[in-house]
Amino acid sequence: MSEEPEGFAQFVQARERALQRTAWLLTGDRGLAEDLVQTALVRTWPRWERILRHDDPEVYVRRVMVNTWATWARRKWRGERATQSVPESPAPGDVAAEVAVRMAIRSALASLTARQRAVLVLRVFDDLSEAQVAQVLDCAVGTVKSTMSQALAKLRSDGRLTELMEADNR
């Protein structure tokens, strides 16, 4: 086994939470998100020194995550089936309302195409610029803009989200 590339552990330690959040938003599943981050890091590790010389490491890792997720999403069989589990301790607040909101958002995100969801996650939740998203997805800035517009239009027309917004304004 070869030595760990310089700076790799520090990068993982500093950016792991942000990468996990991005992965969860892409996949909608915590376990799958953890697998996605680990897979991206495993694929990045052997190329780390070259990545540091030529690319922004975070953009590179996010590109690997998006491409890996897109590959996984195209597969017909996922290998595992998620099941609901009972939390170990009761959650504070109105759990039913929180679950309803999460389910509506998850369902709305699932209605987007893979590219729309990736653009939305990278642009809104990760706060990347259009140019950075274009770099991660290896496409033109115009493609990012049009894809984001299409994703937002689809979300605006989603009745479940409209109901949530109306209930929130009451």
Side-chain angles (χ1 to χ4, degrees), residues 154-166:
K154 195 167 191 177
L155 292 176
R156 282 186 196 107
S157 68
D158 191 306
R160 296 166 297 218
L161 296 180
T162 305
E163 289 174 19
L164 282 176
M165 294 303 291
E166 289 172 358

Side-chain angles (χ1 to χ4, degrees), residues 95-117:
V95 177
E98 291 174 16
V99 169
V101 168
R102 265 187 264 138
M103 287 176 61
I105 292 172
R106 183 177 286 171
S107 175
L109 287 174
S111 73
L112 300 175
T113 66
R115 181 169 284 253
Q116 288 171 341
R117 188 167 177 164

Side-chain angles (χ1 to χ4, degrees), residues 112-132:
L112 300 175
T113 66
R115 181 169 284 253
Q116 288 171 341
R117 188 167 177 164
V119 167
L120 183 76
V121 167
L122 294 170
R123 188 79 179 94
V124 176
F125 294 99
D126 289 339
D127 198 28
L128 298 181
S129 69
E130 290 166 340
Q132 290 170 316

Side-chain angles (χ1 to χ4, degrees), residues 4-74:
E4 178 181 301
E6 186 175 329
F8 186 76
Q10 292 84 357
F11 171 81
V12 172
Q13 186 175 17
R15 301 305 302 155
E16 185 176 23
R17 286 184 57 109
L19 295 172
Q20 287 286 347
R21 183 188 68 225
T22 299
W24 181 82
L25 289 165
L26 287 171
T27 63
D29 178 86
R30 184 176 172 179
L32 199 54
E34 291 172 355
D35 290 346
L36 180 59
V37 170
Q38 290 302 313
T39 300
L41 292 173
V42 164
R43 290 181 177 172
T44 303
W45 182 78
R47 298 168 185 82
W48 189 250
E49 290 177 9
R50 183 179 58 86
I51 293 165
L52 285 178
R53 285 193 306 268
H54 300 292
D55 295 317
D56 176 0
E58 186 153 357
V59 168
Y60 189 91
V61 172
R62 288 180 191 278
R63 180 181 297 153
V64 171
M65 284 173 49
V66 169
N67 291 341
T68 301
W69 171 68
T71 300
W72 290 356
R74 283 191 294 268

